[in-house]
Amino acid sequence: MSLKALKTQWRRHPRLARLLMASGVSLVTAAGFWLCDTGKMRRLLERLSYGDRKSEEESSRRQAEYIYIKYHIYRESMRQLQQKQEDDKKWISVIVNPIGKWWKAAKHSVAWRLLNIAQMGNQSERLKAVQQLICMDHLKDWDFRHLAQICDARTAVSLARSGADTRWFMPVHRRGCIKNPKLLLSELHTMLSQLRPLSCVDHFFAKYFPEQQHQHQHQHQHQQQQQQLQLQQQGSSEETPQEQTIVLSTVDMDLLREIISFLHHISKDHLVSANIIKEGGLVHLMELKKIFNEDNETLSTLCKVLANMSVVPTAVEHFFATGWIGVLAEWQQCPDLRLQVISAKVMANLDRDDPNQCIYPPNVYPLHPRIRTGRKPKADIIFVHGLMGGVFVTWRQRHRKPTELNIYGKNAFYTSQSKDLYVAAEQWRQQAAQESSTNCEATDFPSDNPETPMEDQAPANVVKASSTRHHKIGRDGTMEFVKKLRGSELDADWEVVHPDIPLNASEHCAGTFSVSGNEWLNQDTSEEYTNCWPMEWLPDDYPDARIIGIDYTSALTEWSANFTKYCPCERGQGKFEVRASTLLERIVASDVGNDRPIVWIGHSMGGLLTKLILIKSTDSEDPKVQQLAKNTRGIVFLGTPHRGSPIAKWKQHMQMILSPSIEVKEMEENAPKLLEMHRRFMDCLHKFLHRVKVVSVAEGSPTMLTSFKFPLRIVTEESSKIDFGDYYLLNDDHLGLSKPIYRQSFLYQRLLHVIEEAVKERDRDGEEEA
């Protein structure tokens, strides 16, 4: 039958057509109900078939089971349930609850999708996804834990370097437990013995494990098995709760510290670091972190071991698997600046996804930026400390009280046996705050005693710029003037002279010696104090600059040369030639001066090392090494003994008592090698570095020696002056030349001027090339 005939029959019998249509609709409806009730029917049949069996099981129970709930808990639970049921009946809940459920599902979906992009996308997509993930602060704790479990090593490092919440990272394995220190010592001994044959390890074992020096490897293992059996027999457990007090002898604690310092020494070789990682060294270091969790000085040395290991290309997965990523992320937010910088160095070495990524080898520390940034640095500012200095020792803010030099002082940035000058600086910060508050209370208003001259209460560094005549000011006017100064309400008619204005300067020197009154910030009573002003002050003035601190070990006498005790190979590292070559190699590895200007700041012996590094750079045939000298635009010498120091004469008069170190012997006045190095540097300045801005600063006050209680001029004015660039003589001692009193000081402002000129010189070079 054709379609046309079917339509004809449909019009001829309309009642039959409507009946068929109604029957079809009823059939479809019945089928829908049947499909809906299929589950109910199935459950009903199951209930009928297994009803007899369940009744038998229930009847076999002789005693009912109860759950004991305290009445007040039950009452509170019922009250909350009733309150929830009443809230659900309200009309606002009918609208809000679906929206809340939708929002929860949406935010979870967004976080999971962003994490998937951060793991699977290309580099540009990964960087954007990580930036979005760190902004998601509305997630719950269980959301962070779930995401942390599915996060990979590369993404975890990216999140840590971007300042993400620490909940993004998995907690440390057995966080609340500490391994038995005796067992840990045994495992560390086994790990170190695996590094043999190595002369450093043999020397360390001969000094700290003399009874085991000539034993074979299988004898070590047998002895460790016996120790473990003894521990088990004594009832000592392998893991001890962290809340439980662990009594460990001072000898064992000192031995653990020595092992950490020795690991810092041998891990500078990336092959040794790779073997330590292979032998499970990161797990042992985590146990050491738990033991010394409250000792920031030991933790800083431990973190330097991690920094040396982070140079190994395959170390990222091992750091992630052992839980170190989360610990390093916490240390990056620690108040201790040492842990901040060293942990930032570790994360920078592990972050292979950073478009501006560079490797920081030993002795090189990134002071700024310490997190991932999307901008490429416009300049490199290098700080090199001097004799007995350190990154967090030399570049502190000046303390109001005079500083003293301990002739037997030790390097506070190397071993745990040295006096922690960083902690002392923190105490100075607290004392300064207390003194400032006391002084504010004592001098809140000028004295009412008419015999007290009111003019003496005004700051001595404020002068009137527009007036050439001295006017007499009455007592009331002076009181108003002093209040005005304390309120920092000076206008542009006033000039405030810097507190450390030079005593003398070269004839054609540049720089500002005062600041306008409307720009002056009265910081005499400020509680601000920093242990590293290059890290905390310079980023505010030049945020696009990369600030690097060079750290090395040095000593004034052989008695305090603790860095030579671990291995005889360290004894020759004090020579200028050897040290400069090592630092040059590691600075070049940090990609310093890659198409950007360099500014060097060297204090004391650090200036001599800077000169020798630049000389070696000009003599090198490697283009990557030559770029150090080629892109150098500024050098600041702070108390640098270009022609030697009289302190080296001690080797003639007191050699039997003091035993001067190699560094001191090489800085003897008018030493032939020192004069030859200065001659070569001056030739480089005139031939290759003639566009470099050079600033030399000399000390105008003697330095007090605490051991003999007499002042000594460490570097004379003649030795610190060179016939190139600007020269200034400040009223500071040798230690104060690297410590500005506050931001609006001549020393800091002159340094800013050098950096500004270097950046402008680079911009002019770019315009000429274009």
Side-chain angles (χ1 to χ4, degrees):
M1 182 179 293
S2 62
L3 182 60
K4 186 176 181 180
L6 183 61
K7 290 182 179 180
T8 304
Q9 293 294 332
W10 186 274
R11 293 191 189 98
R12 187 178 299 174
H13 305 283
R15 292 184 180 179
L16 181 60
R18 286 195 294 269
L19 180 61
L20 291 175
M21 186 180 295
S23 303
V25 173
S26 302
L27 184 60
V28 172
T29 306
F33 280 108
W34 180 78
L35 292 174
C36 180
D37 294 338
T38 300
K40 297 180 180 179
M41 293 296 295
R42 185 173 61 253
R43 287 192 294 270
L44 179 61
L45 293 175
E46 291 177 355
R47 206 178 298 121
L48 292 175
S49 60
Y50 296 101
D52 298 337
R53 187 182 304 174
K54 291 183 179 179
S55 61
E56 292 177 0
E57 292 178 357
E58 292 177 357
S59 61
S60 63
R61 296 177 183 175
R62 299 180 180 179
Q63 187 176 357
E65 296 180 358
Y66 297 95
I67 299 177
Y68 176 74
I69 300 177
K70 292 184 178 180
Y71 176 72
H72 67 279
I73 298 178
Y74 170 75
R75 184 177 58 185
E76 181 64 21
S77 300
M78 295 302 296
R79 188 191 65 79
Q80 294 179 359
L81 182 59
Q82 293 177 0
Q83 183 66 28
K84 185 177 181 303
Q85 292 176 353
E86 292 178 0
D87 293 340
D88 292 341
K89 294 179 180 178
K90 297 180 180 179
W91 65 271
I92 190 65
S93 300
V94 176
I95 300 176
V96 172
N97 286 343
I99 298 177
K101 294 179 180 179
W102 172 84
W103 169 244
K104 290 181 180 179
K107 69 178 183 180
H108 295 163
S109 176
V110 170
W112 263 256
R113 290 179 182 178
L114 287 175
L115 184 59
N116 185 42
I117 296 174
Q119 294 175 343
M120 309 301 295
N122 55 40
Q123 186 181 24
S124 178
E125 294 174 348
R126 292 196 301 268
L127 296 177
K128 295 178 181 179
V130 169
Q131 292 298 323
Q132 293 297 323
L133 285 172
I134 63 176
C135 298
M136 300 187 69
D137 54 353
H138 57 272
L139 299 177
K140 303 297 182 181
D141 289 343
W142 70 270
D143 292 323
F144 283 110
R145 295 308 178 194
H146 190 186
L147 292 169
Q149 291 177 3
I150 60 178
C151 189
D152 60 348
R154 183 180 61 188
T155 307
V157 172
S158 299
L159 290 170
R161 284 217 69 207
S162 302
D165 195 309
T166 55
R167 291 176 295 177
W168 273 102
F169 314 105
M170 292 294 295
V172 177
H173 180 61
R174 295 182 179 179
R175 191 185 187 95
C177 298
I178 297 178
K179 179 171 288 189
N180 191 295
K182 295 289 186 181
L183 183 59
L184 180 59
L185 273 173
S186 177
E187 294 177 351
L188 289 172
H189 182 276
T190 303
M191 182 190 70
L192 292 176
S193 63
Q194 296 291 336
L195 301 177
R196 288 182 168 181
L198 192 64
S199 59
C200 299
V201 178
D202 294 336
H203 178 78
F204 183 79
F205 273 33
K207 185 172 183 179
Y208 293 98
F209 301 99
E211 70 282 356
Q212 302 171 0
Q213 172 66 13
H214 302 288
Q215 295 182 1
H216 298 287
Q217 181 62 30
H218 68 276
Q219 294 176 342
H220 291 312
Q221 296 177 356
H222 177 70
Q223 182 179 5
Q224 289 155 15
Q225 292 176 0
Q226 294 295 330
Q227 291 178 357
Q228 293 179 4
L229 290 175
Q230 291 177 3
L231 290 174
Q232 294 177 1
Q233 293 175 0
Q234 295 174 1
S236 300
S237 60
E238 182 179 355
E239 299 286 345
T240 305
Q242 197 165 1
E243 293 79 6
Q244 181 178 346
T245 303
I246 297 179
V247 180
L248 191 64
S249 63
T250 306
V251 177
D252 292 337
M253 294 292 287
D254 291 341
L255 181 57
L256 288 176
R257 290 190 178 94
E258 296 295 341
I259 290 176
I260 294 174
S261 299
F262 176 67
L263 288 174
H264 175 227
H265 164 64
I266 62 176
S267 61
K268 294 178 182 179
D269 186 352
H270 68 280
L271 296 178
V272 177
S273 296
N275 290 332
I276 293 175
I277 294 175
K278 182 180 178 180
E279 296 296 332
L282 290 174
V283 178
H284 301 324
L285 292 179
M286 181 62 72
E287 298 300 331
L288 289 172
K289 180 262 177 186
K290 296 178 183 178
I291 294 177
F292 297 101
N293 195 39
E294 303 298 330
D295 188 357
N296 286 347
E297 185 180 357
T298 304
L299 290 180
S300 64
T301 307
L302 179 64
C303 194
K304 286 193 281 186
V305 179
L306 298 174
N308 295 339
M309 294 181 179
S310 63
V311 181
V312 179
T314 60
V316 181
E317 294 293 340
H318 296 278
F319 273 82
F320 179 71
T322 52
W324 273 113
I325 302 298
V327 175
L328 293 170
E330 292 178 358
W331 282 351
Q332 284 183 302
Q333 303 175 9
C334 177
D336 195 317
L337 299 184
R338 297 171 297 183
L339 291 178
Q340 285 186 27
V341 173
I342 306 174
S343 60
K345 174 182 176 179
V346 180
M347 299 305 300
N349 290 340
L350 295 175
D351 189 9
R352 305 303 172 108
D353 209 27
D354 187 2
N356 300 321
Q357 196 263 347
C358 63
I359 300 296
Y360 294 99
N363 304 114
V364 182
Y365 293 91
L367 302 181
H368 174 80
R370 300 189 301 276
I371 60 175
R372 180 189 287 182
T373 58
R375 301 183 302 271
K376 188 177 181 180
K378 294 182 179 180
D380 286 332
I381 307 174
I382 316 298
F383 287 84
V384 187
H385 66 79
L387 189 67
M388 296 172 55
V391 175
F392 300 102
V393 177
T394 301
W395 312 111
R396 301 192 310 268
Q397 185 180 358
R398 187 194 309 175
H399 188 50
R400 300 299 174 87
K401 294 182 180 180
T403 55
E404 295 179 342
L405 175 65
N406 188 353
I407 197 171
Y408 300 106
K410 301 174 183 178
N411 194 327
F413 198 58
Y414 188 71
T415 63
S416 59
Q417 293 184 351
S418 60
K419 181 180 179 181
D420 197 344
L421 295 182
Y422 178 86
V423 176
E426 288 293 328
Q427 297 175 356
W428 294 345
R429 185 209 298 264
Q430 298 176 1
Q431 293 177 3
Q434 295 176 359
E435 292 176 0
S436 62
S437 61
T438 304
N439 294 336
C440 290
E441 295 175 359
T443 61
D444 193 14
F445 295 98
S447 174
D448 293 333
N449 188 0
E451 298 179 359
T452 303
M454 300 304 300
E455 290 80 6
D456 295 341
Q457 299 182 16
N461 59 334
V462 180
V463 296
K464 191 77 163 84
S466 60
S467 176
T468 57
R469 298 171 54 189
H470 297 282
H471 299 280
K472 295 183 178 180
I473 305 177
R475 181 173 180 272
D476 296 336
T478 305
M479 292 177 60
E480 183 179 356
F481 172 66
V482 172
K483 291 181 179 179
K484 186 176 182 180
L485 292 182
R486 288 177 180 168
S488 301
E489 298 177 354
L490 297 179
D491 50 26
D493 294 335
W494 293 88
E495 285 288 327
V496 182
V497 180
H498 292 306
D500 55 344
I501 186 172
L503 301 176
N504 194 6
S506 56
E507 183 177 359
H508 301 289
C509 65
T512 57
F513 303 97
S514 62
V515 62
S516 178
N518 57 351
E519 298 178 357
W520 176 53
L521 300 177
N522 191 353
Q523 297 177 314
D524 291 335
T525 59
S526 175
E527 299 180 3
E528 181 188 53
Y529 185 85
T530 174
N531 286 304
C532 188
W533 57 267
M535 187 177 72
E536 297 189 350
W537 291 0
L538 281 180
D540 295 338
D541 296 296
Y542 290 96
D544 292 335
R546 184 173 66 151
I547 306 171
I548 294 177
I550 304 299
D551 186 78
Y552 59 90
T553 57
S554 60
L556 189 62
T557 65
E558 292 291 345
W559 294 354
S560 59
N562 287 330
F563 56 90
T564 63
K565 66 182 180 180
Y566 298 112
C567 183
C569 68
E570 288 285 341
R571 292 176 181 173
Q573 297 295 323
K575 296 181 179 180
F576 284 158
E577 287 286 339
V578 177
R579 178 163 287 165
S581 299
T582 303
L583 293 179
L584 174 62
E585 178 183 354
R586 293 172 179 175
I587 290 174
V588 170
S590 302
D591 199 28
V592 172
N594 186 7
D595 295 331
R596 51 183 174 267
I598 308 174
V599 177
W600 301 83
I601 298 93
H603 176 253
S604 188
M605 192 178 76
L608 298 178
L609 292 174
T610 301
K611 292 165 56 178
L612 194 53
I613 288 173
L614 292 176
I615 292 173
K616 291 180 175 295
S617 175
T618 55
D619 296 339
S620 176
E621 297 179 357
D622 188 354
K624 194 171 183 181
V625 178
Q626 290 180 353
Q627 72 179 2
L628 287 181
K630 180 181 178 181
N631 294 326
T632 296
R633 292 294 180 268
I635 306 175
V636 179
F637 294 112
L638 303 176
T640 299
H642 299 285
R643 300 171 185 84
S645 171
I647 195 174
K649 292 182 180 180
W650 289 347
K651 81 170 188 143
Q652 301 175 1
H653 304 290
M654 308 183 68
Q655 187 172 6
M656 297 299 296
I657 301 177
L658 297 180
S659 182
S661 61
I662 298 177
E663 299 93 330
V664 174
K665 293 177 183 178
E666 289 193 337
M667 286 192 297
E668 183 180 354
E669 273 189 316
N670 297 322
K673 290 184 179 180
L674 207 60
L675 295 178
E676 176 63 19
M677 181 177 67
H678 183 63
R679 184 193 64 79
R680 293 173 59 192
F681 177 72
M682 295 303 296
D683 290 342
C684 290
L685 281 180
H686 292 288
K687 293 180 181 179
F688 306 104
L689 307 176
H690 58 277
R691 301 176 63 181
V692 175
K693 305 295 182 183
V694 179
V695 175
S696 301
V697 181
E699 58 195 79
S701 299
T703 304
M704 184 66 66
L705 295 178
T706 59
S707 299
F708 300 99
K709 297 298 181 182
F710 70 89
L712 177 69
R713 189 67 62 90
I714 305 296
V715 181
T716 61
E717 182 178 351
E718 294 77 12
S719 180
S720 59
K721 186 176 182 179
I722 62 175
D723 299 329
F724 195 96
D726 296 346
Y727 171 78
Y728 304 95
L729 179 66
L730 300 186
N731 189 21
D732 290 324
D733 60 6
H734 187 70
L735 302 181
L737 292 180
S738 60
K739 300 172 178 62
I741 190 169
Y742 44 72
R743 297 173 188 256
Q744 284 190 340
S745 61
F746 170 78
L747 180 63
Y748 182 71
Q749 294 298 323
R750 188 65 184 89
L751 174 61
L752 292 182
H753 185 63
V754 173
I755 299 174
E756 183 180 359
E757 289 181 341
V759 175
K760 289 182 179 179
E761 183 73 19
R762 183 240 188 191
D763 295 338
R764 284 194 295 266
D765 293 343
E767 293 177 358
E768 292 177 359
E769 292 178 359

